[in-house]
């Protein structure tokens, strides 16, 4: 199997193109989400303002406040979930492609090294063994780093989900208490 420098260049170019397209796709999805969220916030603002203008007494104001708070918090949490989903999806696509690209490049480099070592002069077995060990160690280190990065991403995602759920529970529990204090 003959590996040419052009193949490495083309592989790198294709990877860069994939990365750019995936990043733009993620940005496009975020932009659409932000536009939809902006429209929703504006429509809720107009609706809430109209309702506020119709308030006649304090009790009506308290009831209106209860009705406005929960949906706003739920929309905020849903928006956060969508942003996290888009970021996670984009990250996973890129990570998968990085793994494939690194594995392919490692295979090509290993082939080149094997060919070079096969034509090494007699008596260079120690140097050949050292090069093979260095390549194996580098690959193992890369695998270890990939595993650690994946675990860190999973922990971060779980933490964000837990914080989101805690926020929802805390705000839904606090909203009725605050409203009942104001009414008294």
């Amino acid at each position: 199997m003959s590996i040419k420098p052009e193949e490495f260049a083309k592989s790198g170019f294709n990877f860069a193109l994939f990365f750019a397209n995936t990043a733009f796709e993620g940005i496009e999805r975020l932009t659409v989400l932000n536009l939809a969220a902006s429209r929703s916030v504006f429509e809720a603002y107009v609706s809430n303002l109209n309702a506020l203008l119709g308030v006649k007494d304090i009790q009506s104001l308290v009831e209106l406040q209860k009705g406005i708070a929960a949906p706003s918090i739920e929309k905020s949490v849903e928006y956060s979930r969508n942003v996290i989903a888009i970021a996670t999806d984009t990250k996973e696509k890129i990570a998968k492609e990085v793994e494939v690209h690194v594995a392919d490049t490692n295979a090509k480099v290993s082939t080149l090294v094997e060919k070079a070592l096969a034509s090494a002069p007699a008596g260079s077995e120690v140097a050949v063994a050292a090069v093979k060990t260095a390549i194996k160690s580098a690959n193992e280190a890369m695998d270890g780093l990939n595993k650690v990065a994946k675990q860190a991403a999973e922990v971060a995602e779980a933490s964000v989900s837990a914080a989101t759920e805690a926020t929802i529970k805390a705000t839904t529990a606090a909203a009725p208490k605050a409203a009942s204090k104001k009414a008294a």
Side-chain angles (χ1 to χ4, degrees), residues 72-92:
S72 296
I73 292 168
E74 289 172 8
K75 285 181 182 180
S76 297
V77 169
E78 183 63 26
Y79 173 80
S80 297
R81 284 182 180 152
N82 286 332
V83 169
I84 291 167
I86 291 169
T88 300
D89 185 44
T90 302
K91 174 203 60 107
E92 287 174 358

Side-chain angles (χ1 to χ4, degrees), residues 9-66:
K10 186 176 181 181
S11 175
F13 175 76
N14 287 340
F15 177 73
L17 190 61
F18 170 82
F19 180 81
N21 283 331
T22 303
F24 281 127
E25 179 184 303
I27 291 168
E28 181 180 26
R29 289 175 60 194
L30 281 173
T31 302
V32 168
L33 176 65
N34 286 335
L35 287 172
S38 296
R39 176 179 293 276
S40 176
V41 166
F42 178 72
E43 289 172 353
Y45 171 76
V46 170
S47 174
N48 294 341
L49 186 59
N50 283 332
L52 185 61
L53 292 173
V55 169
K56 303 288 185 212
D57 57 12
I58 296 295
Q59 184 62 30
S60 298
L61 182 62
V62 170
E63 291 301 317
L64 177 64
Q65 185 180 17
K66 280 188 214 178

Side-chain angles (χ1 to χ4, degrees), residues 64-124:
L64 177 64
Q65 185 180 17
K66 280 188 214 178
I68 290 174
S72 296
I73 292 168
E74 289 172 8
K75 285 181 182 180
S76 297
V77 169
E78 183 63 26
Y79 173 80
S80 297
R81 284 182 180 152
N82 286 332
V83 169
I84 291 167
I86 291 169
T88 300
D89 185 44
T90 302
K91 174 203 60 107
E92 287 174 358
K93 284 181 184 178
I94 290 172
K96 189 181 294 182
E97 186 64 23
V98 165
E99 284 183 31
V100 169
H101 187 72
V102 167
D104 183 51
T105 301
N106 282 344
K108 289 178 182 176
V109 168
S110 292
T111 301
L112 286 174
V113 169
E114 288 293 327
K115 283 185 178 183
L117 295 178
S119 62
S124 61

Side-chain angles (χ1 to χ4, degrees), residues 120-134:
S124 61
E125 291 82 18
V126 173
V128 168
V131 170
K132 287 182 177 180
T133 301

